[in-house]
Amino acid sequence: MNNVIIKFMKTLVKRIDRNKIDDDIILQAGAILQRGGLVAFPTETVYGLGANALDEEAAKKTYEAKGRPADNPLIVHIAELSYLDKIVADIPKKAIELAAAFWPGPLTMIFEKSSAVPYGTTGGLDTVAVRLPDDEIARALILAGGGYVSAPSANTSGRPSPTSSRHVEEDMDGRVDMILDGGSVDIGVESTIVDMTVTPPMILRPGAVTKGMLEAVIGEVQVDKTLLSECSIEAPKAPGMKYRHYAPKAPLTIVEGDIKDVVRAIKQLAFAMHRQGKTAGIIASSETVSLYTSGIVKNIGTRASQSSIAKNLYKVLREFDEESVDCIYSESFAADGIGRAVMNRLEKAAAHQIIDAAEVVKHQEYRRVVFVSTSDNCRGPVAAELLRNQELLQEYVIESRGMIVLFPEPPNPKAEAIMKSRRMTLEGQEAKAFSAEDLDEDTLVLTMEEPQKWKIITDYEYVRHVYTLGEFIESGEEVPSAHGQPLAEYGKTFELLKGMIIKLADKLNGAAGEK
Ligand code: TXA
Ligand code: MG
C-alpha cells in the first residue's frame, strides 16, 4: 500500500552546513515540529524522521509517513542530559554512567516512562527509548523543536535506513514538511539499543557502541538471545527487530566461510545465474571486487576498516534496488566491533538466508586443467584456448604443457593463422615443459595422444588424473600432430579439437551440476 500513497504535501529540502549552522533554518524547522509537523534530519547514525515526541497526533503522522505498524515504538531524542528527568520515571545509576561515557552518541537506552510521554510514542509500552545524538544539526533542531523529538529512521518501513538526504527524499518526498540535508552520515547503522529496565542491562540491537564498550563501563551486559539465534521462536524485545527490515527488492543471500571459498562460491553462483539468462548482484569488498567476472559487483568498503563497511551498507543495498538484478550474493564480514551490527543488519536484509561457501565449492574435483602435447606450440595451446572460450560452471586455471620443450618457443604460425581465421589467437603463448608440478591433486592432465600419457605415467612417481583427452570424454579419439603438413591439416586438427573440447566442457559442467 505504501507505494500508492498520494503525495499530499510540499516537502522543503534545506541544505545545512554543519560547520556554520543556519539558525533561521533551524528555527523554521523547530516551528514545524512545535506545531505537530514532520522534519527529517541527519544524525551520526542514520537520518531520522522527527516529530514532537510529547504530541500523540504527531506520532500518528510519523507512522503514516513511514507506513510503519503502530506497535513499533519510537526513540525520543533529547539534546541535553537534563531533559531526561521529565520523560523517565527512574534513572538507574548505570544509565548515568553510560550517558557519561557515550552521550552524545550512538547509544539508545530504555527506561520506565513518565506520564509525560504519550503511549502513541511508545507504541503502547510503559517504557521509553531515549537517545542523545552527537550530530550538531540534530541537537540544534531538537532544542528548537521543544526538546523532545521522536525519530525513527527516515525510510519507508521495510526499506534500508537512509544515510544521505537523497535517500530520505526517495522515500519521504511529499510525506514530510521538511528535510534538513546535512550530507552523508558518519556511522551508517542505527544506534545500539540497551534496555536499562532489566538486570543486567540487555542489548536489544547491536550498533557502534559494542558489548565490550558497555561492559568496560558498567560490568555485565546481556544480549537479547533472539539476536543470536536465527531459529529462535521468541519475539525480539525491541518490537522493531521482528520485522523484515532493511530489505532490498531482490532476494539477498549471504555466503559465509573462508574468503577464498567465498569468492569462488559467489563466482560459481553468479555464473550459474548468468547461464540461466539472469543477473546476480554481488556485494564485495575492496580486497575482492576485482576478482568477480560476472554479475553487477559493488564495493561495500575495505575489510581493513569495519566502519567503512558500516557506512556504505545501506547505500549499496539501496543501489541494488535501482539495478535490475534477480538476486544478490553478499560476502560475509567479521562480526566483531561494529561488524556485529553490520552482520545483524545484513542477516535481516537476507531474511537469514545464509549459505556455506565450502558446501558450494566442495563439489569441484579439479581446479586446473593442463593439456599436454609434444612441443606445446600447437595442439595443447589451441585446446586450452578453446576451453577458455567455453561457458564453464566452475572456475578453472587452464594451461598447456609440452613433453619436449627446450626453449620458450612461440606458437606455430599455421596454428595461429587457423586461430585468427576463427577470431581467436594464441598471442602471448610460450611453450612450457611438463613437470612434476603439473601432477597436483586438483589438476586434470589431458594428453593429445596415448604415448604422451604413458610417458608421464612411467616417468613420474605420483601420477593422478592423467588421461588422453579422447579417453576422458569417452570418444577414444587421438589428436594427431599436423606438424609439417599443409594449412588445411591444421584446420582439421582445429575442428577435431573443437568438437572434443565442447564435450569436455559438458563433462566438467555435468560434474559441477551433480550435487
Ligand atoms: O540510530 C538510531 O537509533 C536512529 C536515529 C534516527 O536516531 N533511529 C532509529 O529508530 O533507528 P527506529 O525507529 O528505526 O528504530 C527504533 C528501534 C525499533 O526496533 C523499536 O522497536 C525499538 O527501537 N524501541 C523503541 N522503543 C522501545 C522500547 N520502549 N522498548 C523496546 N524497544 C524499543
Ligand atoms: Mg528503522
Side-chain angles (χ1 to χ4, degrees):
M1 283 297 285
N2 301 339
N3 309 339
V4 294
I5 279 187
I6 300 156
K7 292 196 175 187
F8 61 95
M9 18 170 124
K10 167 103 188 76
T11 300
L12 274 176
V13 181
K14 296 277 185 186
R15 164 111 202 119
I16 293 208
D17 178 354
R18 66 183 61 249
N19 298 316
K20 212 172 95 225
I21 295 176
D22 183 329
D23 292 338
D24 289 343
I25 299 177
I26 293 293
L27 283 177
Q28 193 188 349
I32 293 173
L33 292 177
Q34 303 241 18
R35 53 164 203 270
L38 302 180
V39 178
F41 62 99
T43 83
E44 71 277 25
T45 56
V46 299
Y47 270 75
L49 172 55
N52 180 354
L54 307 184
D55 174 352
E56 187 114 43
E57 288 306 307
K60 274 192 198 144
K61 282 193 199 167
T62 310
Y63 290 117
E64 241 164 65
K66 273 184 73 80
R68 172 170 177 159
D71 71 342
N72 192 353
L74 308 174
I75 296 173
V76 178
H77 294 67
I78 56 175
E80 282 164 21
L81 191 55
S82 60
Y83 282 68
L84 192 57
D85 292 341
K86 179 172 168 181
I87 52 171
V88 308
D90 169 51
I91 309 178
K93 185 170 151 283
K94 286 183 177 175
I96 311 259
E97 289 165 9
L98 289 181
F102 302 111
W103 277 0
L107 174 69
T108 295
M109 288 190 270
I110 291 174
F111 303 94
E112 303 295 342
K113 83 173 190 71
S114 78
S115 58
V117 187
Y119 282 109
T121 298
T122 65
L125 298 177
D126 287 317
T127 53
V128 60
V130 186
R131 178 156 105 84
L132 201 166
D134 188 30
D135 188 291
E136 277 160 38
I137 300 171
R139 289 210 308 274
L141 174 72
I142 294 162
L143 290 177
Y148 300 95
V149 174
S150 59
S153 48
N155 52 286
T156 319
S157 196
R159 291 213 72 200
S161 294
T163 54
S164 72
S165 80
R166 201 174 65 81
H167 296 161
V168 179
E169 276 183 69
E170 278 170 17
D171 288 11
M172 291 296 153
D173 188 28
R175 301 186 185 195
V176 301
D177 299 282
M178 190 187 250
I179 298 171
L180 296 180
D181 173 4
S184 287
V185 303
D186 197 30
I187 296 175
V189 290
E190 305 85 344
S191 60
T192 306
I193 301 180
V194 184
D195 185 353
M196 303 306 294
T197 68
V198 294
T199 312
M202 185 190 282
I203 298 179
L204 307 189
R205 179 173 75 182
V209 176
T210 62
K211 181 169 188 272
M213 289 160 74
L214 295 165
E215 286 186 332
V217 178
I218 56 164
E220 191 190 350
V221 168
Q222 48 179 334
V223 177
D224 181 359
K225 57 181 182 301
T226 62
L227 293 179
L228 304 175
S229 86
E230 54 189 84
C231 44
S232 173
I233 47 167
E234 274 175 67
K237 305 266 183 312
M241 297 294 278
K242 71 174 179 260
Y243 299 107
R244 184 179 180 244
H245 254 186
Y246 328 113
K249 286 179 192 154
L252 169 68
T253 303
I254 301 170
V255 183
E256 265 185 353
D258 171 69
I259 185 64
K260 270 201 195 134
D261 284 346
V262 166
V263 172
R264 267 192 208 132
I266 295 181
K267 285 175 90 156
Q268 201 167 306
L269 293 164
F271 189 61
M273 292 298 284
H274 170 71
R275 280 171 61 93
Q276 295 169 36
K278 295 182 179 165
T279 308
I282 299 173
I283 300 181
S285 49
S286 312
E287 290 77 8
T288 56
V289 71
S290 62
L291 302 174
Y292 296 100
T293 41
S294 64
I296 295 177
V297 192
K298 294 194 190 286
N299 182 353
I300 195 172
T302 168
R303 287 174 179 276
S305 153
Q306 300 272 51
S307 9
S308 75
I309 295 175
K311 207 179 266 193
N312 291 325
L313 172 69
Y314 289 137
K315 177 166 88 62
V316 166
L317 289 178
R318 274 181 182 259
E319 279 173 13
F320 272 122
D321 284 349
E322 310 290 307
E323 308 270 4
S324 46
V325 291
D326 298 284
C327 66
I328 305 170
Y329 296 110
S330 177
E331 294 177 1
S332 52
F333 306 98
D336 52 4
I338 199 173
R340 182 77 281 270
V342 169
M343 288 311 293
N344 166 262
R345 307 309 194 271
L346 208 50
E347 281 165 18
K348 281 157 71 66
H352 297 290
Q353 171 78 16
I354 301 171
I355 56 177
D356 181 0
E359 277 297 312
V360 178
V361 297
K362 80 170 183 206
H363 304 275
Q364 183 164 5
E365 197 176 358
Y366 306 113
R367 299 208 179 278
R368 194 163 158 250
V369 181
V370 174
F371 293 97
V372 179
S373 60
T374 313
S375 42
D376 194 29
N377 71 351
C378 177
R379 288 169 293 173
V382 169
E385 194 53 26
L386 281 166
L387 187 60
R388 286 184 201 112
N389 277 282
Q390 298 294 313
E391 289 221 330
L392 295 171
L393 274 177
Q394 295 173 314
E395 281 266 318
Y396 300 89
V397 174
I398 301 168
E399 293 176 312
S400 63
R401 296 286 184 265
M403 296 307 294
I404 309 163
V405 177
L406 302 177
F407 66 98
E409 205 186 340
N412 178 303
K414 285 183 191 162
E416 175 65 348
I418 294 290
M419 290 296 272
K420 284 259 162 72
S421 71
R422 268 83 169 173
R423 296 171 185 278
M424 285 190 260
T425 178
L426 299 176
E427 224 171 80
Q429 155 73 21
E430 280 180 349
K432 283 193 199 75
F434 185 85
S435 75
E437 279 168 21
D438 300 311
L439 291 166
D440 268 353
E441 186 55 62
D442 66 353
T443 303
L444 173 64
V445 177
L446 298 173
T447 69
M448 297 297 119
E449 298 171 280
E450 284 283 332
Q452 293 142 0
K453 180 180 97 180
W454 289 109
K455 179 128 182 63
I456 293 172
I457 290 174
T458 46
D459 283 5
Y460 294 91
E461 215 165 318
Y462 298 105
V463 176
R464 283 162 286 217
H465 320 306
V466 181
Y467 309 88
T468 72
L469 174 56
E471 175 187 18
F472 190 73
I473 62 170
E474 294 160 55
S475 77
E477 291 154 299
E478 298 270 287
V479 186
S481 168
H483 189 72
Q485 302 199 45
L487 192 61
E489 286 305 311
Y490 283 81
K492 278 189 199 156
T493 304
F494 177 92
E495 292 305 330
L496 172 64
L497 272 173
K498 190 172 158 194
M500 293 175 87
I501 295 297
I502 289 170
K503 285 190 195 148
L504 173 62
D506 275 355
K507 175 147 184 174
L508 292 171
N509 285 343
E514 280 165 23
K515 285 181 188 168

